Amino acid sequence: RRSRLSMVNIAVLISGGGTNLQSLIDNINNGYEYGQIKLVVSNKESAYGLERARNANIPYRHRSSIDADYFFVRKLSQHLDNKDCNSA
C-alpha cells in the first residue's frame, strides 16, 4: 500500500467499457490505491466507461465535447491542468 503522503490526482483515458477505470475506482475505494480520479476522458461519446464515471461522480469529457480534432490535445492538456493532474 502507498503512503497517504503520495496521493496523486489521476486522469483516466478510455475508449470503451472502462473496466480498468472500474478496477481503479474499486481499488481506491478499498484503500489499495491512494489518489483521486479527477477526470475521465474518452474518444467516444458512447463509451460505457463514461457511465462508470457518472456513477462514481467523477467529472468526464468526450472528444466531441472537447472540440474538433485539431484542438483535442490542447484542450485535453487544459482540462488536465484544471484538475491538477500530471501527464506521463
Side-chain angles (χ1 to χ4, degrees), residues 10-74:
I10 303 166
V12 180
L13 306 179
I14 63 168
S15 63
T19 55
N20 289 330
L21 169 63
Q22 189 62 57
S23 179
L24 187 56
I25 291 169
D26 293 343
N27 282 336
I28 289 170
N29 289 340
N30 291 323
Y32 295 113
E33 299 287 339
Y34 295 111
Q36 182 177 11
I37 302 172
K38 303 289 270 186
L39 182 66
V40 173
V41 178
S42 175
N43 63 330
K44 299 176 184 173
E45 184 176 4
S46 62
Y48 184 72
L50 295 176
E51 183 66 26
R52 293 180 193 271
R54 275 190 286 273
N55 291 339
N57 295 313
I58 300 169
Y60 61 90
R61 299 282 185 274
H62 55 83
R63 192 177 104 209
S64 60
S65 71
I66 293 176
D67 282 331
D69 289 340
Y70 180 76
F71 296 103
F72 178 73
V73 173
R74 184 173 169 192

